[in-house]
Amino acid sequence: MGATKDTAGTEAVKQITYLAGALKAPRITEAASRLADQARDAGWTHEDYLAAVLEREVSARNASGAQLRIRAAGFGAVKTLEDFDFDAQPAARQQVGALASGAFLTEARNVVLLGPPGTGKTHLATALGVAAARHGHRVLFATATDWVTRLTDAHRTGRLPQELTRLRRYALIIVGAMIRTCGWLSAR
């Protein structure tokens, strides 16, 4: 009887592997075999086991999707809120914490970060963009100069309406200000 059970188990694994491939959900195969023993030992119901396997697939998809969205955003460097030194900007902690939830995106509100150079505005903008990408939103980052060039080129070539339509697909567009002072302007 043990050999029949082993054969049935092997056939089930083959079928799971095939079905996971057909669904383009390769992590199901790994999760199914890894969780099968745990489910048997803990006496899970079929529903509990299936939910656990599918939860692993969804979590992995969300994580890889977030990584793709972060890469596609065009950040110069990936910064997170955990990396930000709030000791240098204690007043920002509560406001930024509220923004990190992403509610401003669903409310279609703009956020403007103002302050002198070196206070972490670009870090915070990038970190909020990373948080938005992790929440499933499409994000696009470029400097103000890059945006002007991009939109001017689109206008010049007659593609501005198409470019604006493409940009509407993004939940968050970040305009970073790269302002540098010229020595001859500040030397007075």
Side-chain angles (χ1 to χ4, degrees):
M1 173 129 170
T4 305
K5 189 173 185 178
D6 289 344
T7 304
T10 302
E11 287 304 312
V13 169
K14 285 180 184 176
Q15 186 174 17
I16 289 170
T17 302
Y18 167 75
L19 294 171
L23 290 170
K24 294 182 180 19
R27 292 164 294 254
I28 284 180
T29 303
E30 178 190 322
S33 50
R34 193 168 17 92
L35 290 172
D37 293 332
Q38 183 180 349
R40 275 191 284 283
D41 293 344
W44 292 359
T45 65
H46 298 296
E47 294 84 0
D48 291 338
Y49 170 69
L50 180 58
V53 169
L54 294 176
E55 181 182 353
R56 299 302 192 288
E57 177 66 26
V58 169
S59 293
R61 280 187 185 202
N62 287 342
S64 64
Q67 288 304 92
L68 289 172
R69 286 186 296 276
I70 290 167
R71 273 197 304 273
F75 298 119
V78 176
K79 305 284 186 173
T80 65
L81 292 174
E82 295 78 24
D83 298 334
F84 189 75
D85 181 11
F86 281 103
D87 294 337
Q89 297 291 334
R93 185 184 303 271
Q94 186 175 2
Q95 293 167 325
V96 171
L99 292 171
S101 72
F104 73 97
L105 293 169
T106 57
E107 296 167 1
R109 293 179 45 214
N110 295 323
V111 174
V112 178
L113 303 174
L114 299 172
T119 55
K121 297 177 299 295
T122 301
H123 183 135
L124 288 175
T126 301
L128 289 171
V130 167
R134 288 182 177 153
H135 284 108
H137 299 286
R138 292 181 72 194
V139 179
L140 198 54
F141 177 94
T143 66
T145 304
D146 293 339
W147 284 114
V148 169
T149 301
R150 179 182 187 155
L151 294 173
T152 301
D153 289 348
H155 178 69
R156 188 176 30 77
T157 59
R159 295 180 301 102
L160 186 59
Q162 294 91 335
E163 182 67 12
L164 294 175
T165 298
R166 194 174 85 69
L167 292 175
R168 283 187 194 98
R169 293 185 289 198
Y170 291 89
L172 178 60
I173 294 176
I174 301 172
V175 181
M178 295 296 182
I179 301 172
R180 290 178 173 70
T181 59
C182 298
W184 59 270
L185 287 176
S186 60
R188 288 214 163 180

